[in-house]
Amino acid sequence: FVFAILPTAGNALDMQGQVLLQTTMAQHIERHMVNGVIPHVVLDDGIVVDLVPTEAHPMILSYGEGYVLCTDFRDPEGRFVNVDFYVAQGEEGYVIFQMEIDNRAPLHALMEQGKVKKIVG
């Protein structure tokens, strides 16, 4: 699916850009679902955990020329798992180039360094 309207340049983000980013994240999640869940390998122990998407956060962060969005998933025990999506602007719209599952510390470090800033939410 290609968006007919390209996002705005840089980190200027109007309502249309916000909607396009959220739509990109939702489509990315949908494309990676297997039987209604996102399988995730916990690399520390090799266990595959099925994650169910629950709620997208309205917050959007800027990161260089791109953005970071996040959403909550739930694991089989019902615990919330944060998932962060790193997004870049491509020629035909936004592209998610990295997804961090239950790994919020690097994002917090980037925020503390001033490399990531909240722009919406």
Side-chain angles (χ1 to χ4, degrees), residues 56-84:
H57 300 176
M59 182 172 57
I60 298 174
L61 308 169
S62 68
Y63 179 51
E65 293 295 314
Y67 302 95
V68 181
L69 289 86
C70 54
T71 189
D72 288 329
F73 283 68
R74 284 193 186 256
D75 68 11
E77 287 77 38
R79 291 183 296 239
F80 282 106
V81 177
N82 286 314
V83 179
D84 299 317

mmCIF file of all heavy atoms in Angstrom, residues 56-84:
data_model
loop_
_atom_site.group_PDB
_atom_site.id
_atom_site.type_symbol
_atom_site.label_atom_id
_atom_site.label_comp_id
_atom_site.label_asym_id
_atom_site.label_seq_id
_atom_site.Cartn_x
_atom_site.Cartn_y
_atom_site.Cartn_z
ATOM 1 N N ALA A 56 -2.126 1.788 20.770
ATOM 2 C CA ALA A 56 -1.070 2.678 20.273
ATOM 3 C C ALA A 56 -1.033 3.921 21.148
ATOM 4 O O ALA A 56 -2.059 4.429 21.562
ATOM 5 C CB ALA A 56 -1.344 3.067 18.828
ATOM 6 N N HIS A 57 0.147 4.392 21.443
ATOM 7 C CA HIS A 57 0.308 5.620 22.206
ATOM 8 C C HIS A 57 0.181 6.802 21.244
ATOM 9 O O HIS A 57 0.686 6.744 20.131
ATOM 10 C CB HIS A 57 1.675 5.670 22.878
ATOM 11 C CG HIS A 57 1.919 4.553 23.825
ATOM 12 N ND1 HIS A 57 3.131 4.385 24.455
ATOM 13 C CD2 HIS A 57 1.142 3.538 24.266
ATOM 14 C CE1 HIS A 57 3.079 3.320 25.233
ATOM 15 N NE2 HIS A 57 1.881 2.787 25.125
ATOM 16 N N PRO A 58 -0.429 7.891 21.668
ATOM 17 C CA PRO A 58 -0.534 9.056 20.783
ATOM 18 C C PRO A 58 0.785 9.825 20.660
ATOM 19 O O PRO A 58 0.940 10.663 19.784
ATOM 20 C CB PRO A 58 -1.596 9.918 21.466
ATOM 21 C CG PRO A 58 -1.535 9.531 22.902
ATOM 22 C CD PRO A 58 -1.151 8.073 22.920
ATOM 23 N N MET A 59 1.748 9.516 21.519
ATOM 24 C CA MET A 59 3.008 10.240 21.534
ATOM 25 C C MET A 59 3.845 9.911 20.297
ATOM 26 O O MET A 59 3.928 8.759 19.873
ATOM 27 C CB MET A 59 3.789 9.890 22.801
ATOM 28 C CG MET A 59 5.083 10.621 22.947
ATOM 29 S SD MET A 59 5.861 10.359 24.554
ATOM 30 C CE MET A 59 6.032 8.592 24.610
ATOM 31 N N ILE A 60 4.447 10.957 19.718
ATOM 32 C CA ILE A 60 5.367 10.799 18.606
ATOM 33 C C ILE A 60 6.640 11.541 18.977
ATOM 34 O O ILE A 60 6.601 12.684 19.435
ATOM 35 C CB ILE A 60 4.775 11.350 17.293
ATOM 36 C CG1 ILE A 60 3.501 10.572 16.926
ATOM 37 C CG2 ILE A 60 5.806 11.265 16.161
ATOM 38 C CD1 ILE A 60 2.756 11.132 15.731
ATOM 39 N N LEU A 61 7.770 10.882 18.776
ATOM 40 C CA LEU A 61 9.066 11.458 19.100
ATOM 41 C C LEU A 61 9.837 11.710 17.807
ATOM 42 O O LEU A 61 9.700 10.949 16.844
ATOM 43 C CB LEU A 61 9.865 10.488 19.972
ATOM 44 C CG LEU A 61 9.164 9.965 21.222
ATOM 45 C CD1 LEU A 61 9.955 8.823 21.828
ATOM 46 C CD2 LEU A 61 8.980 11.076 22.226
ATOM 47 N N SER A 62 10.638 12.769 17.789
ATOM 48 C CA SER A 62 11.507 13.000 16.634
ATOM 49 C C SER A 62 12.858 12.359 16.920
ATOM 50 O O SER A 62 13.327 12.335 18.054
ATOM 51 C CB SER A 62 11.667 14.488 16.365
ATOM 52 O OG SER A 62 12.391 15.116 17.394
ATOM 53 N N TYR A 63 13.475 11.850 15.856
ATOM 54 C CA TYR A 63 14.789 11.226 15.966
ATOM 55 C C TYR A 63 15.533 11.536 14.677
ATOM 56 O O TYR A 63 15.283 10.906 13.648
ATOM 57 C CB TYR A 63 14.648 9.721 16.165
ATOM 58 C CG TYR A 63 15.964 8.976 16.259
ATOM 59 C CD1 TYR A 63 16.953 9.388 17.134
ATOM 60 C CD2 TYR A 63 16.208 7.869 15.477
ATOM 61 C CE1 TYR A 63 18.159 8.714 17.225
ATOM 62 C CE2 TYR A 63 17.406 7.177 15.558
ATOM 63 C CZ TYR A 63 18.375 7.611 16.436
ATOM 64 O OH TYR A 63 19.571 6.952 16.509
ATOM 65 N N GLY A 64 16.419 12.513 14.715
ATOM 66 C CA GLY A 64 17.085 12.944 13.496
ATOM 67 C C GLY A 64 16.044 13.418 12.504
ATOM 68 O O GLY A 64 15.210 14.246 12.824
ATOM 69 N N GLU A 65 16.069 12.858 11.309
ATOM 70 C CA GLU A 65 15.066 13.181 10.294
ATOM 71 C C GLU A 65 13.842 12.272 10.393
ATOM 72 O O GLU A 65 12.917 12.403 9.599
ATOM 73 C CB GLU A 65 15.680 13.059 8.893
ATOM 74 C CG GLU A 65 16.737 14.094 8.615
ATOM 75 C CD GLU A 65 16.172 15.511 8.598
ATOM 76 O OE1 GLU A 65 15.122 15.733 7.979
ATOM 77 O OE2 GLU A 65 16.797 16.397 9.219
ATOM 78 N N GLY A 66 13.855 11.340 11.341
ATOM 79 C CA GLY A 66 12.773 10.382 11.464
ATOM 80 C C GLY A 66 11.987 10.534 12.742
ATOM 81 O O GLY A 66 12.036 11.579 13.407
ATOM 82 N N TYR A 67 11.297 9.473 13.103
ATOM 83 C CA TYR A 67 10.388 9.493 14.244
ATOM 84 C C TYR A 67 10.452 8.179 15.006
ATOM 85 O O TYR A 67 10.929 7.165 14.497
ATOM 86 C CB TYR A 67 8.944 9.707 13.761
ATOM 87 C CG TYR A 67 8.781 10.978 12.976
ATOM 88 C CD1 TYR A 67 8.855 10.969 11.585
ATOM 89 C CD2 TYR A 67 8.583 12.193 13.620
ATOM 90 C CE1 TYR A 67 8.727 12.135 10.857
ATOM 91 C CE2 TYR A 67 8.451 13.367 12.901
ATOM 92 C CZ TYR A 67 8.518 13.330 11.523
ATOM 93 O OH TYR A 67 8.400 14.491 10.809
ATOM 94 N N VAL A 68 9.925 8.219 16.227
ATOM 95 C CA VAL A 68 9.748 7.015 17.021
ATOM 96 C C VAL A 68 8.300 7.014 17.503
ATOM 97 O O VAL A 68 7.810 8.019 18.022
ATOM 98 C CB VAL A 68 10.695 6.967 18.241
ATOM 99 C CG1 VAL A 68 10.493 5.681 19.029
ATOM 100 C CG2 VAL A 68 12.152 7.109 17.807
ATOM 101 N N LEU A 69 7.614 5.903 17.309
ATOM 102 C CA LEU A 69 6.258 5.710 17.804
ATOM 103 C C LEU A 69 6.269 4.488 18.707
ATOM 104 O O LEU A 69 7.163 3.649 18.601
ATOM 105 C CB LEU A 69 5.280 5.457 16.654
ATOM 106 C CG LEU A 69 4.972 6.655 15.768
ATOM 107 C CD1 LEU A 69 6.001 6.776 14.668
ATOM 108 C CD2 LEU A 69 3.600 6.513 15.179
ATOM 109 N N CYS A 70 5.276 4.383 19.562
ATOM 110 C CA CYS A 70 5.227 3.198 20.423
ATOM 111 C C CYS A 70 3.795 2.738 20.622
ATOM 112 O O CYS A 70 2.843 3.483 20.417
ATOM 113 C CB CYS A 70 5.911 3.459 21.753
ATOM 114 S SG CYS A 70 5.304 4.885 22.638
ATOM 115 N N THR A 71 3.704 1.480 21.007
ATOM 116 C CA THR A 71 2.405 0.879 21.287
ATOM 117 C C THR A 71 2.586 -0.176 22.371
ATOM 118 O O THR A 71 3.697 -0.626 22.634
ATOM 119 C CB THR A 71 1.797 0.261 20.011
ATOM 120 O OG1 THR A 71 0.464 -0.137 20.266
ATOM 121 C CG2 THR A 71 2.587 -0.916 19.514
ATOM 122 N N ASP A 72 1.490 -0.519 22.988
ATOM 123 C CA ASP A 72 1.506 -1.572 24.001
ATOM 124 C C ASP A 72 1.031 -2.882 23.395
ATOM 125 O O ASP A 72 0.089 -2.910 22.604
ATOM 126 C CB ASP A 72 0.574 -1.235 25.173
ATOM 127 C CG ASP A 72 1.102 -0.133 26.050
ATOM 128 O OD1 ASP A 72 2.338 0.003 26.171
ATOM 129 O OD2 ASP A 72 0.284 0.599 26.636
ATOM 130 N N PHE A 73 1.693 -3.944 23.789
ATOM 131 C CA PHE A 73 1.267 -5.301 23.486
ATOM 132 C C PHE A 73 1.056 -5.988 24.833
ATOM 133 O O PHE A 73 1.472 -5.472 25.865
ATOM 134 C CB PHE A 73 2.347 -6.049 22.707
ATOM 135 C CG PHE A 73 2.432 -5.682 21.253
ATOM 136 C CD1 PHE A 73 2.869 -4.431 20.849
ATOM 137 C CD2 PHE A 73 2.093 -6.611 20.286
ATOM 138 C CE1 PHE A 73 2.958 -4.103 19.516
ATOM 139 C CE2 PHE A 73 2.193 -6.291 18.939
ATOM 140 C CZ PHE A 73 2.621 -5.036 18.553
ATOM 141 N N ARG A 74 0.427 -7.137 24.829
ATOM 142 C CA ARG A 74 0.302 -7.956 26.042
ATOM 143 C C ARG A 74 0.895 -9.322 25.751
ATOM 144 O O ARG A 74 0.717 -9.870 24.679
ATOM 145 C CB ARG A 74 -1.144 -8.101 26.472
ATOM 146 C CG ARG A 74 -1.680 -6.859 27.143
ATOM 147 C CD ARG A 74 -3.013 -7.177 27.819
ATOM 148 N NE ARG A 74 -3.594 -5.977 28.345
ATOM 149 C CZ ARG A 74 -3.593 -5.647 29.625
ATOM 150 N NH1 ARG A 74 -3.058 -6.457 30.502
ATOM 151 N NH2 ARG A 74 -4.147 -4.531 30.046
ATOM 152 N N ASP A 75 1.581 -9.851 26.775
ATOM 153 C CA ASP A 75 2.126 -11.198 26.642
ATOM 154 C C ASP A 75 1.064 -12.196 27.106
ATOM 155 O O ASP A 75 -0.015 -11.799 27.548
ATOM 156 C CB ASP A 75 3.450 -11.326 27.397
ATOM 157 C CG ASP A 75 3.327 -11.235 28.900
ATOM 158 O OD1 ASP A 75 2.192 -11.280 29.440
ATOM 159 O OD2 ASP A 75 4.371 -11.130 29.568
ATOM 160 N N PRO A 76 1.332 -13.504 27.015
ATOM 161 C CA PRO A 76 0.327 -14.506 27.392
ATOM 162 C C PRO A 76 -0.142 -14.397 28.852
ATOM 163 O O PRO A 76 -1.241 -14.830 29.186
ATOM 164 C CB PRO A 76 1.037 -15.837 27.153
ATOM 165 C CG PRO A 76 2.024 -15.539 26.078
ATOM 166 C CD PRO A 76 2.498 -14.136 26.386
ATOM 167 N N GLU A 77 0.672 -13.807 29.739
ATOM 168 C CA GLU A 77 0.275 -13.632 31.145
ATOM 169 C C GLU A 77 -0.481 -12.329 31.367
ATOM 170 O O GLU A 77 -0.856 -12.018 32.496
ATOM 171 C CB GLU A 77 1.508 -13.681 32.064
ATOM 172 C CG GLU A 77 2.098 -15.083 32.243
ATOM 173 C CD GLU A 77 2.915 -15.513 31.034
ATOM 174 O OE1 GLU A 77 3.622 -14.672 30.449
ATOM 175 O OE2 GLU A 77 2.821 -16.697 30.658
ATOM 176 N N GLY A 78 -0.687 -11.544 30.298
ATOM 177 C CA GLY A 78 -1.427 -10.295 30.411
ATOM 178 C C GLY A 78 -0.586 -9.086 30.773
ATOM 179 O O GLY A 78 -1.119 -7.995 30.952
ATOM 180 N N ARG A 79 0.722 -9.254 30.867
ATOM 181 C CA ARG A 79 1.603 -8.119 31.181
ATOM 182 C C ARG A 79 1.780 -7.240 29.948
ATOM 183 O O ARG A 79 1.845 -7.737 28.826
ATOM 184 C CB ARG A 79 2.972 -8.618 31.630
ATOM 185 C CG ARG A 79 2.959 -9.315 32.975
ATOM 186 C CD ARG A 79 4.366 -9.715 33.360
ATOM 187 N NE ARG A 79 4.848 -10.705 32.392
ATOM 188 C CZ ARG A 79 5.233 -11.927 32.696
ATOM 189 N NH1 ARG A 79 5.272 -12.322 33.945
ATOM 190 N NH2 ARG A 79 5.625 -12.772 31.770
ATOM 191 N N PHE A 80 1.876 -5.929 30.194
ATOM 192 C CA PHE A 80 2.140 -4.996 29.103
ATOM 193 C C PHE A 80 3.587 -5.103 28.643
ATOM 194 O O PHE A 80 4.493 -5.232 29.462
ATOM 195 C CB PHE A 80 1.852 -3.556 29.543
ATOM 196 C CG PHE A 80 0.395 -3.226 29.561
ATOM 197 C CD1 PHE A 80 -0.280 -3.124 30.766
ATOM 198 C CD2 PHE A 80 -0.302 -3.020 28.380
ATOM 199 C CE1 PHE A 80 -1.622 -2.825 30.792
ATOM 200 C CE2 PHE A 80 -1.651 -2.724 28.400
ATOM 201 C CZ PHE A 80 -2.314 -2.626 29.612
ATOM 202 N N VAL A 81 3.783 -5.038 27.338
ATOM 203 C CA VAL A 81 5.103 -5.055 26.726
ATOM 204 C C VAL A 81 5.166 -3.849 25.791
ATOM 205 O O VAL A 81 4.343 -3.724 24.878
ATOM 206 C CB VAL A 81 5.340 -6.358 25.933
ATOM 207 C CG1 VAL A 81 6.679 -6.333 25.229
ATOM 208 C CG2 VAL A 81 5.217 -7.571 26.843
ATOM 209 N N ASN A 82 6.110 -2.941 26.027
ATOM 210 C CA ASN A 82 6.285 -1.776 25.155
ATOM 211 C C ASN A 82 7.003 -2.181 23.880
ATOM 212 O O ASN A 82 7.979 -2.921 23.915
ATOM 213 C CB ASN A 82 7.118 -0.695 25.851
ATOM 214 C CG ASN A 82 6.343 0.029 26.906
ATOM 215 O OD1 ASN A 82 5.212 0.432 26.681
ATOM 216 N ND2 ASN A 82 6.941 0.204 28.062
ATOM 217 N N VAL A 83 6.511 -1.645 22.768
ATOM 218 C CA VAL A 83 7.164 -1.854 21.478
ATOM 219 C C VAL A 83 7.372 -0.479 20.848
ATOM 220 O O VAL A 83 6.429 0.307 20.735
ATOM 221 C CB VAL A 83 6.329 -2.758 20.556
ATOM 222 C CG1 VAL A 83 7.029 -2.944 19.221
ATOM 223 C CG2 VAL A 83 6.070 -4.107 21.212
ATOM 224 N N ASP A 84 8.614 -0.186 20.482
ATOM 225 C CA ASP A 84 8.966 1.086 19.870
ATOM 226 C C ASP A 84 9.271 0.863 18.391
ATOM 227 O O ASP A 84 9.932 -0.107 18.017
ATOM 228 C CB ASP A 84 10.195 1.699 20.552
ATOM 229 C CG ASP A 84 9.935 1.968 22.025
ATOM 230 O OD1 ASP A 84 8.849 2.467 22.348
ATOM 231 O OD2 ASP A 84 10.825 1.677 22.848
#
